[in-house]
């Protein structure tokens, strides 16, 4: 385990990947979370990272279906570079609300969209981390609450598929992980004792 700097998470905006790596080195972080698309544009990403670990990278596949198809096609190049850098964890968060899809429809939508992502990542030895957003303030005021607790995220990720949970069709191919983020974990009920 090591400390990794995520500039966006701490409010540092507008820094390039080389600048973020420099900040990580200067402040005692062993790694840096990064934008894979920016890493792809570097002439030598391995040299840029040097001894700084290429930690987690954000899933570069999002947006409406027209963008999704293009992004998914680029994901293989991203995953290939990630494998060469030793950065095998890609992550995204799942909105805890929808204004257009009820929970069942939204679950099917996310499974349909994320299954091909998980397959591409698996082809390069990478895993997909799915983060849930627990605070009620995030989904309050939206038409349909969605996954905001660990048990529902585990169901979607297929961790308890044997209990009738829905699962990504990637069994034996990839790990689908649930990152534990303290400020989102507790409000999502995960800290409650049985």
């Amino acid at each position: 385990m090591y400390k990794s700097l995520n500039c966006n998470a701490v409010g540092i905006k507008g820094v390039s990947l080389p600048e973020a790596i420099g900040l990580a080195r200067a402040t005692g972080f062993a790694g840096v979370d990064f934008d894979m698309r920016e890493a792809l544009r570097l002439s030598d990403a391995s040299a840029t990272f040097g001894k700084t670990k290429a930690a987690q990278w954000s899933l570069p596949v999002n947006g409406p279906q027209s963008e999704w198809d293009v992004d998914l096609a680029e994901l293989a190049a991203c995953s290939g570079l990630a494998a060469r850098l030793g950065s095998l964890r890609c992550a995204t968060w799942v909105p805890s609300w929808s204004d257009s899809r009820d929970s069942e429809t939204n679950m099917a939508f996310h499974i349909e969209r994320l299954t091909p992502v998980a397959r591409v990542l698996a082809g390069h030895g990478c895993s997909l981390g799915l983060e849930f957003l627990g605070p009620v303030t995030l989904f309050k005021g939206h038409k349909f609450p969605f996954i905001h607790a660990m048990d529902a995220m585990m169901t979607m990720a297929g961790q308890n598929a044997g209990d009738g949970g829905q699962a990504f069709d990637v069994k034996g191919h990839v790990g689908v992980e649930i990152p534990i983020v303290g400020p989102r974990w507790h409000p999502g009920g995960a800290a409650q004792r049985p």
Side-chain angles (χ1 to χ4, degrees):
M1 185 179 300
Y2 59 90
K3 293 187 299 182
S4 180
L5 176 63
N6 182 319
C7 288
N8 285 329
V10 294
I12 302 172
K13 307 291 182 195
V15 297
S16 68
L17 179 52
E19 290 170 327
I21 291 168
L23 282 171
R25 288 179 186 151
T27 55
F29 287 87
V32 67
D33 292 8
F34 63 103
D35 177 343
M36 183 55 75
R37 287 187 173 143
E38 185 177 357
L40 277 174
R41 291 189 296 268
L42 296 173
S43 59
D44 187 351
S46 293
T48 301
F49 275 97
K51 292 185 179 184
T52 302
K53 295 179 187 300
Q56 173 178 282
W57 48 288
S58 299
L59 181 64
V61 180
N62 53 38
Q65 194 63 43
S66 58
E67 293 175 24
W68 184 269
D69 295 334
V70 172
D71 291 347
L72 189 59
E74 187 182 49
L75 186 59
C78 292
S79 301
L81 176 58
R84 291 190 299 280
L85 293 172
S87 178
L88 303 179
R89 289 197 166 101
C90 176
T92 192
W93 54 275
V94 176
S96 56
W97 68 89
S98 175
D99 290 321
S100 60
R101 291 182 294 273
D102 63 34
S103 186
E104 185 177 323
T105 304
N106 207 9
M107 181 75 77
F109 170 79
H110 278 85
I111 290 172
E112 180 182 334
R113 279 192 128 192
L114 293 173
T115 295
V117 166
R119 284 187 183 139
V120 171
L121 292 170
H124 296 276
C126 297
S127 63
L128 175 62
L130 299 175
E131 180 181 345
F132 68 92
L133 307 177
V136 174
T137 55
L138 293 175
F139 59 86
K140 185 178 174 182
H142 290 278
K143 189 171 182 180
F144 301 107
F146 190 49
I147 293 173
H148 55 274
M150 179 69 82
D151 59 346
M153 183 58 85
M154 295 284 279
T155 297
M156 189 174 86
Q159 299 297 317
N160 62 353
D163 296 333
Q166 298 188 46
F168 290 105
D169 184 21
V170 292
K171 292 293 183 195
H173 301 287
V174 70
V176 177
E177 303 173 349
I178 313 297
I180 302 299
V181 180
R184 297 186 179 129
W185 182 52
H186 186 274
Q192 297 173 1
R193 295 177 189 248

